[in-house]
Amino acid sequence: MDVRDTRETVARRYGEHLTDTDLLALSGDRPDQVPALRRHPALVLDLLDRPAVADAVLRADRDRGGRFRHVSPFLVLAAAVHRTAGALVGRTHVPDRTAPRSRVPIFDGPVLAAFAADPAHRLFLAELLASYARLASGVVWRRDPTGWRRQRWDELDLPRLAELIVALPEDQRPGGYRRLGDGALFLAGVFPEYAERTFAGAGTARLATLAGPREGPVTELLEELAGRAYARAGAAVPAGVVESPHAARRVLALVADHHLHRGEAGGPPVAGR
């Protein structure tokens, strides 16, 4: 598949996510333009690549005119990803989080810019972020030597999610591994401080069991887990993400730091809310 075909395929996926209200906002409140954006979704990518358009979407919470009041989470997060991708162009170094409240410049700007320039990668990151606007959770019953036990789970309890995947029918496991990888990248890129607290102590050993026989900071273990999970998820994950979860994590971190307005000590959304 050539670059143009990839872009068209990605654009159609954007169109599936975006509501008519999203398209109305992107068109500048011109209802006559919405059908054109539906017919030619590649125009949406062109609009989001314009800094002024992306910035207007990201200022939705301060919009007094109501133009962006009812846009979807996907549009807001896609705008954040596109804005971050555009800001990487021409950068030689990019700050990376090395410890809570600590950033150091890493000279890999061109590598990250190339990763974020790929339309499939931008779609992947926007879908990943939007998928965690609300966490899925539930209850499973598991049998042990003492009988049946009721266990709660949520998508970001990665060790328990991994246990549930193993219990799935073989044909359903690729989707489970995709979600396991998504959770690892989401925690590593968007909420690393929360991940450090969650997997501190004995939790680090549990995480290392999933990530493979290696040691390192929690962020690195989560990157390794994401790569392993995505390799088992099949074609649903772009090859560039499978090969470089580190680049995906770095771009997610930049999106979070510059556009999601979260606190340093924040945590992810609460399951079920």
Side-chain angles (χ1 to χ4, degrees):
M1 184 179 293
D2 63 26
V3 174
R4 183 170 180 175
D5 288 340
T6 299
R7 183 176 172 82
E8 289 295 330
T9 300
V10 167
R12 286 194 294 271
R13 289 281 296 278
Y14 273 69
E16 293 170 2
H17 286 293
L18 297 174
T19 67
D20 285 347
T21 301
D22 293 336
L23 299 181
L24 183 63
L26 287 172
S27 68
D29 286 329
R30 297 179 58 186
D32 59 304
Q33 296 299 311
V34 171
L37 292 175
R38 280 284 179 221
R39 290 193 303 270
H40 307 287
L43 295 174
V44 171
L45 303 187
D46 295 335
L47 287 170
L48 287 172
D49 282 337
R50 298 178 184 178
V53 174
D55 285 344
V57 173
L58 292 167
R59 289 195 296 270
D61 59 340
R62 297 187 292 275
D63 177 38
R64 296 181 179 179
R67 178 180 171 192
F68 295 103
R69 188 169 298 166
H70 302 294
V71 297
S72 68
F74 177 83
L75 176 58
V76 174
L77 294 164
V81 171
H82 279 251
R83 193 66 179 92
T84 299
L88 283 168
V89 176
R91 298 281 297 274
T92 57
H93 57 82
V94 179
D96 189 23
R97 184 186 292 105
T98 57
R101 303 178 186 277
S102 176
R103 306 289 188 277
V104 297
I106 306 296
F107 289 85
D108 59 354
V111 174
L112 297 184
F115 178 91
D118 188 313
H121 294 168
R122 292 200 298 266
L123 170 66
F124 176 86
L125 296 177
E127 286 182 329
L128 186 156
L129 288 168
S131 74
Y132 287 106
R134 181 174 181 175
L135 288 184
S137 63
V139 174
V140 295
W141 289 87
R142 301 181 67 86
R143 190 169 187 172
D144 62 24
T146 64
W148 290 94
R149 291 182 178 273
R150 183 176 182 270
Q151 292 185 334
R152 291 200 60 83
W153 66 274
D154 68 64
E155 292 182 291
L156 294 180
D157 184 345
L158 302 184
R160 184 160 296 172
L161 181 58
E163 293 175 1
L164 294 176
I165 292 170
V166 174
L168 290 173
E170 191 72 31
D171 63 341
Q172 296 180 24
R173 290 180 188 175
Y177 282 116
R178 162 71 190 264
R179 203 57 180 154
L180 181 62
D182 287 349
L185 268 192
F186 181 73
L187 289 176
V190 182
F191 293 109
E193 289 84 8
Y194 172 85
E196 291 283 352
R197 295 196 305 270
T198 299
F199 295 108
T204 302
R206 294 180 72 198
L207 187 60
T209 300
L210 299 176
R214 59 164 296 170
E215 296 181 355
V218 166
T219 297
E220 292 183 7
L221 290 174
L222 288 169
E223 286 181 9
E224 181 71 18
L225 172 57
R228 285 169 170 259
Y230 286 149
R232 304 181 71 173
V237 180
V241 177
V242 178
E243 295 165 1
S244 184
H246 176 73
R249 193 273 300 172
R250 292 288 309 286
V251 176
L252 279 175
L254 292 170
V255 172
D257 283 346
H258 295 289
H259 299 299
L260 300 190
H261 310 293
R262 62 180 179 81
E264 287 291 337
V270 175
R273 290 189 182 177

